[in-house]
Amino acid sequence: GHNRYAVYFADDAQPMAIRVKVTAENGGTQEYTLVMAKEAAAEAGKQLLAELEQEADREAAGKVVEAIDAIGTVTTESEQAIRDARAAYDALTDAQKALVSNYKTLTDAEAALARLKSEEAAGIPATGGSSPVFAALMTGLFGLASAAVSFRKKQQTGSR
């Protein structure tokens, strides 16, 4: 969620209070106060802060997962989306990187883009074998070659 929390510690107070203010996405707020012994309050505060860090890590990783998913099918036009996803991933902490479930998709996209760019540099059309037009052309050529072989066999068989 998009809740924000604040934890207050009163230095010399016995018992100690933890006050949590929750702000909802619509702007509404709710405040909670928990009163307990100083040691328990310190432990509860540490636990709350750890949970908040984990939530922030999941949120940051989730944004990178979305950026990687947005790459889609790799073409030469995908370069900026791939660079943006890489930059977003590289900006994460190690804990956040561990939560990115589709990192292999990013590395595969980078490899596919590198192949496309090297094919383009070598003069091979950028659309390569993934183009529907290329696939249709190849299917047509194979069909034509197959028909020619079949026709030739009929001629040879018929001439005997």
Side-chain angles (χ1 to χ4, degrees):
H2 296 280
N3 297 326
R4 299 288 177 247
Y5 304 91
V7 179
Y8 302 95
F9 295 97
D11 288 335
D12 299 310
Q14 229 9 306
M16 185 162 215
I18 294 180
R19 187 175 312 131
V20 180
K21 184 176 186 180
V22 180
T23 304
E25 290 180 13
N26 66 6
T29 60
Q30 183 71 41
E31 217 169 278
Y32 302 93
T33 303
L34 178 64
V35 179
M36 61 181 74
K38 191 172 189 175
E39 296 78 23
E43 188 56 41
K46 288 178 192 173
Q47 183 177 346
L48 177 60
L49 291 175
E51 288 172 13
L52 293 175
E53 286 175 6
Q54 290 172 356
E55 182 180 325
D57 286 350
R58 284 191 299 273
E59 193 171 311
K63 289 179 182 176
V64 174
V65 167
E66 290 173 11
I68 293 171
D69 283 343
I71 294 170
T73 302
V74 178
T75 66
T76 53
E77 287 79 39
S78 304
E79 185 167 4
Q80 192 59 51
I82 293 170
R83 283 186 182 183
D84 291 347
R86 169 53 72 184
Y89 179 82
D90 288 346
L92 295 177
T93 64
D94 289 343
Q96 294 165 342
K97 286 177 181 177
L99 298 173
V100 176
S101 57
N102 59 352
Y103 178 68
K104 183 170 178 358
T105 302
L106 174 59
T107 57
D108 290 348
E110 289 170 328
L113 179 64
R115 270 193 313 275
L116 286 174
K117 289 174 84 173
S118 67
E119 288 172 0
E120 192 174 64
I124 300 169
T127 53
S130 61
S131 162
V133 174
F134 180 78
L137 178 64
M138 292 309 291
T139 301
L141 286 174
F142 286 127
L144 186 60
S146 178
V149 168
S150 184
F151 178 72
R152 185 173 295 148
K153 282 183 181 177
K154 283 182 185 176
Q155 278 188 327
Q156 290 172 353
T157 310
S159 64
R160 288 184 180 172

